[in-house]
Amino acid sequence: MQRRTVVASVAALLFGPPRAFAQAPAPPPGPRSIAVLQIELLDDQNNPATKAAQEVRLRDALLQLRKELGERGLYRVVDPGPAQALQEHLRAQQEFFYRCDDCAAQVGRQLGVDLVMTPWVQKVSELILNFNVQIFDVPAGKVIFSKSVDMRGNEDESWRRAVRYLVRDMAEKRSIHPGYGQ
């Protein structure tokens, strides 16, 4: 009898305690839902000669940003349209939407999304611009991510390159650090 106890003790030391069959790991969760709001423009220049082209660039950059975030699988991009009335109401009260965390929270709750991205472009001059994004985590109630990309030249291609770089860089960093931007 004592020999069995010794053998069992030695086996336990060598092989560890008996283990139950491990369950297969749960599949990774899908991408978090995000509402990407309208791009705001901070432009002290207010150059009437570039105003029309600027509006087109803002619209095109927003469409590109939403599309690339979804295509790269970084987020499940949700149409913010159903909260348009709330967004307009809040924008009437705020100089800039991206500065109002409570605004992002309200829009996020109304849409039922995990995250809200507020993008903005700061135009220093026709040569120097910055494309910025901030992500607000609705359940956590706080900003969890900010990123800025410099642009050189106020041209269609510089805007496209800025958005492309921003999303590509986020995807590359997410592949190394799975929680990046989440």
Side-chain angles (χ1 to χ4, degrees):
M1 186 72 170
Q2 190 175 27
R3 184 174 176 183
R4 276 191 196 159
T5 306
V6 170
V7 170
S9 298
V10 170
L13 286 174
L14 292 175
F15 302 110
R19 297 182 188 146
F21 288 100
Q23 293 181 349
R32 296 182 77 189
S33 60
I34 192 168
V36 181
L37 304 184
Q38 178 181 341
I39 300 173
E40 295 180 310
L41 178 65
L42 287 71
D43 182 5
D44 292 335
Q45 309 288 308
N46 203 16
N47 182 352
T50 61
K51 201 150 191 88
Q54 201 69 39
E55 291 301 317
V56 172
R57 287 184 190 115
L58 288 165
R59 183 201 66 220
D60 290 350
L62 177 61
L63 294 173
Q64 180 187 354
L65 180 61
R66 288 174 177 163
K67 180 181 177 193
E68 289 191 23
L69 289 170
E71 284 179 350
R72 288 207 180 243
L74 294 172
Y75 304 99
R76 184 173 49 82
V77 180
V78 174
D79 176 17
Q84 188 64 35
L86 175 59
Q87 291 174 67
E88 289 172 8
H89 171 75
L90 293 170
R91 282 186 197 280
Q93 298 175 352
Q94 302 295 322
E95 180 180 11
F96 295 109
F97 203 80
Y98 77 91
R99 292 182 182 167
C100 174
D101 292 344
D102 187 55
C103 297
Q106 289 181 55
V107 171
R109 283 192 299 269
Q110 184 171 353
L111 293 170
V113 295
D114 301 315
L115 307 166
V116 175
M117 178 184 281
T118 53
W120 73 96
V121 171
Q122 180 180 10
K123 181 179 172 186
V124 178
S125 69
E126 290 298 324
L127 181 61
I128 302 169
L129 300 96
N130 304 84
F131 191 94
N132 308 278
V133 297
Q134 182 171 284
I135 298 177
F136 184 86
D137 186 314
V138 178
K142 64 182 179 178
V143 173
I144 59 164
F145 182 80
S146 293
K147 187 162 186 66
S148 181
V149 174
D150 292 339
M151 295 190 286
R152 293 296 172 248
N154 189 14
E155 301 165 345
D156 296 347
E157 185 56 29
S158 62
W159 282 64
R160 282 190 292 271
R161 277 194 313 259
V163 172
R164 195 176 315 121
Y165 175 79
L166 178 113
V167 176
R168 184 183 73 229
D169 187 62
M170 289 175 71
E172 288 172 0
K173 288 181 177 162
R174 172 94 50 96
S175 70
I176 297 167
H177 305 288
Y180 186 81
Q182 299 201 68

